[in-house]
Amino acid sequence: EEIPLDEVLSIYMTETDTIILLDLPSTCMSEEAENAQATKESNILYIELCNNRLGNDKYVERAMQTFVGAAKHKKVQSEKIVMHDQGKIDTRSAVGSACSSWNPLTQAPSPPSGKYSTRSKMKLRKRRSSLFKMQGGDMSDEPELQVIFKSETFQRNLLIMERCLVANIFQPRLAAYRNLPEIKGSEEEEKEEEVEEEPDPSLELLWTFSCELTKGWNITCMAWNKQNTDLLAVGYGDFSPGRKGLICCWSIKNLSWPERLYHCHSGITALDFSSSNPDKLAVGMHDGTVAIFSVSDRESRTFLASSIDCRRRHVHPVWHVTWVRQEMSISEEDVVESVMSVSEDGHVLKWLLCSMLELRRIQDGIKKAEGNKTKREGILVSTATPGLCLDFHPSDPTIYLAGTSEGVIHKCSVSNHHHYLALYQKHLCPVNQVQWSPFSPDVFLSGSADWTVQLWKEGCLTPVMGFTSIQSPVLSARWSPLWPSVFAAIKSEQLEIWDLNASLLDPVIVEPAARGLNLTSMLFARGSNCILVGDSSGQVNFYRIQNLSVGPDKTVAPTSPLA
Amino acid sequence: MAEVEETLQRIEAHGSVAGTIVANADGIPIRSTFDSSKAGKYADVLRHLTAMARSTVRDVDPQDDLIVLRISTKNQEIMVAPENSYLLILVQRFERYARA
């Protein structure tokens, strides 16, 4: 029954009567007592009696003897009384936790929640489950197992266990990734290190992200989480219409299974994590849908919001999505993040995630007016050129570059919807990637299907330098976040790493693809000298860049935080 | 629920895992890939050790709590996740730091 603990109870304390357990009166008496005279007289009479005893006929001495019976031995046996020692050690912490779980006013401290939310009803559920056990004495084990399985902490513990397991197996690789010293096994003898002179720069394969679910899928894009640098989102999809897409969120802490898996109705073509809400992932798909997923929720299997119902959405594949911070006013709280997407229909659109969880398009982006004007039955139709890539300036969030399928790069501003600021023309084929340099604010790189990578400076309308290697379209070109003169380019047969300090004509490292596979996407790792390569069989390979002549003392902190 | 089962099976299917045990608060294994005597032994022995490890951690700092206890031995590694109502034990045996 419930005892209301807030009620004030009165407790009365009284004294009982004196309880006498033993009363031994004294044999001495005071001379002033009432019976003193009578006692004195009886004392005198007694002394006289004792004196008269000697030689008196009334008193005779006599001895007696008692019978001693025969002794009989008798044996008795009983069961041994089993003694148990029971002791309990109570520590400060056990008392503390018992007190804290008793008090209904303060909740027991919930376990530290990282990316995953735990419900505070967990403690209550556990208490109920242990009560359940006490009531049914001969309960079978199955329901108990179910109860345990359902508890949140079990899932979390499983997660931790799996990570420990994998970390044990892959310890040397993970240590190499994080630039930590490896733990050498005790059986290995100390090898004598031979001094090598200037070994060639090379790539060392550390590990691969792949599992049965992702086998055979073509990787199209990858993105790092802005806050948790161990989380990587990978988008899988085919470019044939009607094929489904897959998004996996992998964590470096568990190399064998992705943390999250989302199935989508259409192939994924672009991914980006938000920096102000690090659990929001913006996704661009092959059918033109822009969707936002929330990766912090374990249970959700689908997106938070998408542009499917929007009237003027993209209908062509979205090739790039980026989160952009837009300052609405001077104060910091009004910084709102919106998604910019560029698609094959030539529009750059800006989307805002409303509180009603729908993606609303708020501004019309630039229509690339530099399209062909075709005459069709006398009607002038201006088609916009398909846009393939987008990159915002690292320090000025209103300027961005857009690469088109005609080989022209537009420099545009967010505030000007109809005109571009500058036009960079050199490429003859679609520009697959543009990226501003994270170290120099006016330098950018562009990779195109015309086999070349061009280096541009902002004020100059022709490229400063061009790089070619084999005759194959450049699928992606990115700057290294650690070294200002290093960039990497990926073609479907090989990965190339260029170091502008070492050579302008040839890449410093060339890593060919495995036989039968095409490399499709590439990303640099953050905080580590590793590079990730995704290919057409669903594998993400992690390579560590070794022995590049730019040593760690030559790294420079980027001038602006990387988007 | 099914996801938990799937995760557990995935862990058990790992080449280097010798076995897993899920035991209740009294140290009786409920679900285990070891045979019952071995599982009972593991559960019984580890129950007290984890309670002591947990109280050690909390005595040092009452705000802290034990997440996982890993015992690396010569032949294997035993990982225990302690909770009030159950115990999750994982035993991994492998060639130390093998390179694939």
Side-chain angles (χ1 to χ4, degrees):
Chain A
E1 73 244 270
E2 304 265 337
I3 305 169
L5 289 169
D6 289 341
E7 211 180 271
V8 174
L9 297 172
S10 310
I11 299 175
Y12 299 99
M13 297 183 71
T14 52
E15 209 178 283
T16 60
D17 296 334
T18 311
I19 302 168
I20 299 176
L21 297 171
L22 177 65
D23 193 11
L24 265 180
S26 154
T27 50
C28 299
M29 229 175 170
S30 164
E31 285 208 355
E32 289 148 22
E34 287 145 15
N35 310 351
Q37 195 57 37
T39 315
K40 271 190 197 167
E41 279 167 10
S42 65
N43 282 355
I44 294 168
L45 277 173
Y46 186 67
I47 292 168
E48 277 184 23
L49 187 70
C50 290
N51 291 337
N52 292 342
R53 202 156 64 88
L54 298 167
N56 201 334
D57 281 336
K58 280 195 193 169
Y59 304 98
V60 174
E61 288 219 12
R62 211 165 158 172
M64 286 288 289
Q65 194 176 32
T66 58
F67 286 116
V68 175
K72 187 176 176 183
H73 289 279
K74 194 152 183 162
K75 288 197 177 133
V76 172
Q77 197 172 30
S78 74
E79 274 193 17
K80 180 177 175 181
I81 299 169
V82 177
M83 310 280 258
H84 277 288
D85 272 323
Q86 183 91 7
K88 187 167 189 329
I89 300 171
D90 235 345
T91 56
R92 213 165 22 147
S93 55
V95 171
S97 60
C99 284
S100 62
S101 62
W102 260 53
N103 193 344
L105 294 177
T106 61
Q107 280 291 316
S110 52
S113 56
K115 307 189 288 264
Y116 314 105
S117 55
T118 58
R119 286 179 235 139
S120 61
K121 286 194 292 190
M122 162 202 58
K123 272 264 164 40
L124 196 62
R125 203 187 292 138
K126 277 200 289 195
R127 213 185 298 147
R128 225 186 281 143
S129 73
S130 58
L131 278 178
F132 194 52
K133 208 157 41 98
M134 283 194 287
Q135 281 163 13
D138 53 344
M139 215 177 63
S140 67
D141 289 333
E142 258 308 306
E144 200 175 355
L145 198 63
Q146 306 283 334
V147 162
I148 290 181
F149 273 11
K150 283 208 182 70
S151 66
E152 288 272 341
T153 53
F154 191 76
Q155 291 178 19
R156 224 171 58 86
N157 284 333
L158 272 183
L159 183 83
I160 294 174
M161 288 295 203
E162 202 174 353
R163 289 183 175 184
C164 289
L165 199 61
V166 170
N168 274 338
I169 300 174
F170 287 106
Q171 203 275 337
R173 328 284 183 86
L174 286 174
Y177 176 79
R178 297 194 200 269
N179 288 326
L180 291 172
E182 298 173 24
I183 306 174
K184 294 256 179 283
S186 54
E187 303 96 43
E188 290 180 19
E189 287 151 16
E190 297 289 326
K191 292 188 195 134
E192 304 248 331
E193 294 275 340
E194 291 170 13
V195 175
E196 295 180 34
E197 303 166 356
E198 293 293 322
D200 290 332
S202 61
L203 293 180
E204 177 198 350
L205 175 65
L206 290 180
W207 67 79
T208 304
F209 276 156
S210 82
C211 65
E212 309 86 54
L213 289 183
T214 61
K215 271 206 177 70
W217 288 83
N218 177 35
I219 294 184
T220 51
C221 46
M222 302 188 276
W224 285 105
N225 187 315
K226 302 283 177 358
Q227 188 195 32
N228 179 2
T229 51
D230 290 337
L231 198 64
L232 176 74
V234 182
Y236 302 82
D238 233 348
F239 294 146
S240 47
R243 278 289 298 256
K244 305 252 188 244
L246 186 65
I247 304 178
C248 284
C249 286
W250 292 86
S251 165
I252 307 272
K253 296 181 185 150
N254 184 354
L255 305 183
S256 53
W257 194 261
E259 302 286 319
R260 300 274 188 272
L261 213 64
Y262 300 107
H263 287 274
C264 304
H265 58 273
S266 154
I268 309 294
T269 49
L271 283 179
D272 193 31
F273 269 106
S274 156
S275 32
S276 57
N277 301 329
D279 64 327
K280 299 269 182 306
L281 175 66
V283 175
M285 301 194 204
H286 191 73
D287 67 349
T289 316
V290 174
I292 296 194
F293 283 79
S294 172
V295 297
S296 58
D297 189 1
R298 282 200 91 109
E299 306 296 323
S300 76
R301 291 272 169 261
T302 175
F303 39 72
L304 263 188
S306 89
S307 67
I308 292 182
D309 304 317
C310 181
R311 246 182 331 119
R312 294 186 318 182
R313 61 184 196 276
H314 291 303
V315 289
H316 287 266
V318 175
W319 290 111
H320 200 99
V321 288
T322 320
W323 286 89
V324 177
R325 303 179 69 117
Q326 220 67 50
E327 274 115 30
M328 305 295 219
S329 72
I330 321 277
S331 60
E332 268 297 310
E333 294 94 46
D334 281 359
V335 170
V336 146
E337 264 204 326
S338 50
V339 181
M340 302 279 282
S341 63
V342 68
S343 130
E344 196 156 324
D345 58 13
H347 290 270
V348 174
L349 297 182
K350 180 170 172 178
W351 302 86
L352 195 65
L353 182 65
C354 315
S355 56
M356 305 275 283
L357 290 185
E358 74 186 34
L359 212 44
R360 228 192 322 148
R361 170 185 157 151
I362 61 168
Q363 259 182 48
D364 206 344
I366 180 175
K367 204 184 281 192
K368 277 179 268 304
E370 200 67 13
N372 301 320
K373 290 189 168 60
T374 63
K375 270 196 179 156
R376 253 191 228 168
E377 302 166 18
I379 304 169
L380 260 155
V381 174
S382 78
T383 57
T385 51
L388 290 178
C389 50
L390 195 66
D391 192 37
F392 273 81
H393 196 275
S395 37
D396 179 5
T398 56
I399 309 280
Y400 63 91
L401 290 173
T404 65
S405 68
E406 288 188 345
V408 177
I409 301 174
H410 297 249
K411 180 171 108 166
C412 315
S413 161
V414 167
S415 40
N416 188 340
H417 295 173
H418 299 289
H419 294 287
Y420 44 82
L421 295 179
L423 216 59
Y424 297 97
Q425 270 173 319
K426 174 77 168 91
H427 288 293
L428 309 162
C429 286
V431 175
N432 282 325
Q433 177 112 40
V434 281
Q435 199 193 15
W436 292 95
S437 163
F439 296 96
S440 322
D442 55 352
V443 170
F444 64 91
L445 200 66
S446 67
S448 146
D450 65 355
W451 314 333
T452 64
V453 173
Q454 306 284 347
L455 183 72
W456 308 74
K457 212 164 148 63
E458 192 172 344
C460 178
L461 293 182
T462 57
V464 175
M465 241 181 274
F467 309 99
T468 50
S469 55
I470 62 171
Q471 295 169 348
S472 167
V474 175
L475 297 173
S476 178
R478 279 186 208 259
W479 290 98
S480 156
L482 291 177
W483 301 301
S485 64
V486 173
F487 67 89
I490 191 168
K491 308 192 171 179
S492 57
E493 299 88 5
Q494 65 188 25
L495 165 73
E496 301 168 350
I497 300 194
W498 297 75
D499 181 3
L500 298 178
N501 276 337
S503 158
L504 294 178
L505 297 175
D506 285 317
V508 168
I509 305 178
V510 171
E511 178 79 16
R515 202 171 309 214
L517 291 180
N518 290 335
L519 304 180
T520 50
S521 64
M522 171 210 43
L523 200 57
F524 271 97
R526 300 165 69 197
S528 162
N529 56 347
C530 293
I531 188 169
L532 289 68
V533 178
D535 60 19
S536 55
S537 73
Q539 297 180 324
V540 180
N541 293 320
F542 267 72
Y543 291 96
R544 183 162 76 128
I545 305 174
Q546 283 174 319
N547 306 323
L548 213 50
S549 59
V550 270
D553 50 338
K554 285 201 185 162
T555 62
V556 170
T559 51
S560 54
L562 279 178
Chain B
M1 189 41 227
E3 208 185 277
V4 168
E5 187 67 46
E6 200 186 289
T7 313
L8 199 57
Q9 276 171 6
R10 216 170 51 230
I11 293 182
E12 285 166 5
H14 244 283
S16 59
V17 167
T20 56
I21 302 169
V22 178
N24 68 358
D26 298 329
I28 301 167
I30 314 177
R31 181 202 159 113
S32 147
T33 55
F34 288 115
D35 54 78
S36 63
S37 61
K38 205 164 171 192
K41 202 169 183 182
Y42 267 118
D44 203 23
V45 163
L46 287 169
R47 186 163 61 103
H48 298 291
L49 186 62
T50 45
M52 187 158 286
R54 192 175 196 194
S55 76
T56 312
V57 168
R58 300 212 43 205
D59 269 346
V60 166
D61 178 9
Q63 308 288 339
D64 212 354
D65 198 4
L66 181 69
I67 296 180
V68 138
L69 177 68
R70 290 166 77 161
I71 308 172
S72 303
T73 76
K74 211 161 61 162
N75 303 329
Q76 62 197 9
E77 174 146 343
I78 306 173
M79 293 176 253
V80 187
E83 282 298 326
N84 285 333
S85 59
Y86 64 86
L87 208 64
L88 173 63
I89 303 168
L90 184 76
V91 178
Q92 187 184 15
R93 199 164 302 185
F94 53 105
E95 247 177 71
R96 257 181 191 247
Y97 318 114
R99 282 173 189 264

